[in-house]
Amino acid sequence: GIGGSECGNVLGLNDNPGGSVIELFYQKIGMKPSVLRDNNYMLMGRILEDTVADLWQYYSGDMNSVIENMNSGNIVRKCRNVNGVLTNIKYPHLFLNLDRLIEKNQFNLLNGEIMPENSALEIKTASSWVARKWETNVPPQYIARITQGCMILDVPYGEIAVLELDNRILKVYPIEPSIE
């Protein structure tokens, strides 16, 4: 199957070394090792994932809301960790290790409405060099990943939370993928 971090490769959107669809093909048929070597960025991303998820719970529109809500102890949104692989019988060839599940009855950042179902939350950390890729819009490989998460959960909305490490700013991008 195709995992969430691989969907960008399949669509030709991944600009990372080793991120081509050809390399993924050879990994899937066993002709190239699929073990990704860990590096400092990957390790720190995993370590900081809990921190970003905690900050996200205080987010109601911008970094100032995080500061105000955190200082007053006001958690405005809830998410939880999912320990497992998610699938959907509609898409048996897709699977996902979701960073966090936005719990149902949380508000949608785009329209303020309460979401009747759980949704997908993708968590990222970015150095200043990587953050430049986010200045104009969310990089396409992450749109593909959150879209796959929404497909598997069968929901019309998800979010990507990014902690810019150098600037120490949390940004949250609401995503309404077109899944038709």
Side-chain angles (χ1 to χ4, degrees), residues 34-106:
S34 61
V35 177
L36 183 62
R37 290 184 159 236
D38 212 358
N39 62 43
N40 183 56
Y41 301 106
M42 294 165 64
L43 174 66
M44 295 310 292
R46 286 193 309 275
I47 290 171
L48 292 171
E49 187 174 299
D50 289 339
T51 300
V52 177
D54 288 342
L55 289 171
W56 175 90
Q57 294 185 108
Y58 295 99
Y59 186 92
S60 61
D62 59 24
M63 193 62 202
N64 288 332
S65 68
V66 173
I67 296 166
E68 291 169 16
N69 288 324
M70 186 176 261
N71 285 340
S72 65
N74 185 25
I75 293 175
V76 295
R77 312 169 80 207
K78 293 184 181 178
C79 66
R80 62 184 163 90
N81 200 0
V82 177
N83 293 317
V85 177
L86 302 175
T87 61
N88 184 322
I89 58 173
K90 290 183 188 177
Y91 313 103
H93 55 289
L94 300 178
F95 64 91
L96 183 69
N97 293 309
L98 188 63
D99 289 338
R100 292 292 188 278
L101 190 69
I102 300 172
E103 294 184 11
K104 64 182 178 180
N105 300 322
Q106 305 307 305

Side-chain angles (χ1 to χ4, degrees), residues 138-158:
V138 177
Q141 68 264 32
Y142 300 121
I143 296 287
R145 184 177 174 103
I146 197 73
T147 297
Q148 183 167 330
C150 290
M151 287 172 64
I152 289 170
L153 292 172
D154 203 16
V155 296
Y157 176 83

